[in-house]
Amino acid sequence: MSRIRVFPDPVLTTPTEKVTAVDGEVKKLIKEMFRVMYEAEGVGLAANQIGEPVRLLVVDTSLKEGVEPVKLVLINPEITHREGSVKSKEGCLSFPGLTVELKRARKVTVKGLNEEGEEVELTLEGFPAVVLQHELDHLMGRTFLDHLPAWRRRLALERYRKLLKEQSP
Ligand code: ZN
């Protein structure tokens, strides 16, 4: 059983390692990531959010109303094209309770491997594109706070520390 790592856990600020083989272990990890994500009612999860420092992410927006349903697994993902800009209000399972407004690309093309180890390339737009960029940041050891100017980052961290205090028993 895995638990979601919460900031400032160092696994969240360390870039992850490339997956070298899509084997049984990786498939087990993918299953576990979906399980943890659904349990937490999230729409995306990066492997290091459950403490596994590898380049692997999952997305499923189909349980959220009013957005395009996209379910995917991406191993060693890389964004090859970005287009446009969109304001995005985001939460993060690793920052319980905190929401932050930031700008993301509106449309992205990403390539990587699927869970069969086959090369895939896809273009996402709108909400699924935002989720994908959020999860990819995690794999690079970045969080949504890294998109904010220093003063907004400081305020968000203050807000987050208060939230953590309120949540701890
Ligand atoms: Zn996150």
Side-chain angles (χ1 to χ4, degrees):
M1 293 293 248
S2 325
R3 63 178 179 86
I4 293 175
R5 301 302 182 89
V6 162
F7 187 84
D9 190 313
V11 79
L12 295 169
T13 44
T14 308
T16 56
E17 299 282 334
K18 230 174 162 173
V19 174
T20 49
V22 183
D23 55 14
E25 284 299 300
V26 170
K27 288 183 184 174
K28 237 166 71 187
L29 177 57
I30 291 167
K31 251 192 178 165
E32 176 69 356
M33 284 170 65
F34 274 114
R35 191 192 65 76
V36 169
M37 181 181 77
Y38 291 138
E39 195 180 84
E41 294 178 28
V43 288
L45 193 75
N48 51 332
Q49 287 185 280
I50 57 167
E52 297 293 335
V54 292
R55 285 182 71 83
L56 162 60
L57 64 83
V58 299
V59 170
D60 190 354
T61 63
S62 61
L63 295 173
K64 193 175 156 79
E65 268 177 58
V67 302
E68 195 196 334
V70 170
K71 182 177 176 180
L72 59 90
V73 173
L74 272 178
I75 298 163
N76 302 335
E78 230 177 287
I79 290 182
T80 54
H81 184 73
R82 294 165 204 269
E83 211 178 301
S85 164
V86 68
K87 246 195 207 165
S88 150
K89 196 173 183 179
E90 297 178 16
C92 178
L93 296 176
S94 295
F95 288 81
L98 186 68
T99 51
V100 164
E101 261 193 67
L102 61 144
K103 266 190 193 158
R104 299 272 189 198
R106 186 181 53 78
K107 188 173 168 182
V108 292
T109 301
V110 65
K111 64 172 190 182
L113 303 176
N114 66 13
E115 64 178 307
E116 309 306 328
E118 300 156 349
E119 271 183 47
V120 289
E121 183 173 57
L122 59 157
T123 298
L124 298 175
E125 224 179 316
F127 185 72
V130 163
V131 176
L132 180 89
Q133 291 171 77
H134 180 113
E135 301 316 328
L136 236 153
D137 274 354
H138 278 302
L139 297 180
M140 313 290 277
R142 296 196 297 247
T143 72
F144 60 179
L145 295 186
D146 296 334
H147 291 269
L148 304 179
W151 66 274
R152 281 191 57 207
R153 187 187 154 93
R154 205 164 49 237
L155 288 179
L157 276 171
E158 265 170 39
R159 241 173 34 239
Y160 176 59
R161 283 197 196 101
K162 269 189 208 147
L163 283 166
L164 277 188
K165 243 187 233 162
E166 286 165 17
Q167 286 160 5
S168 63

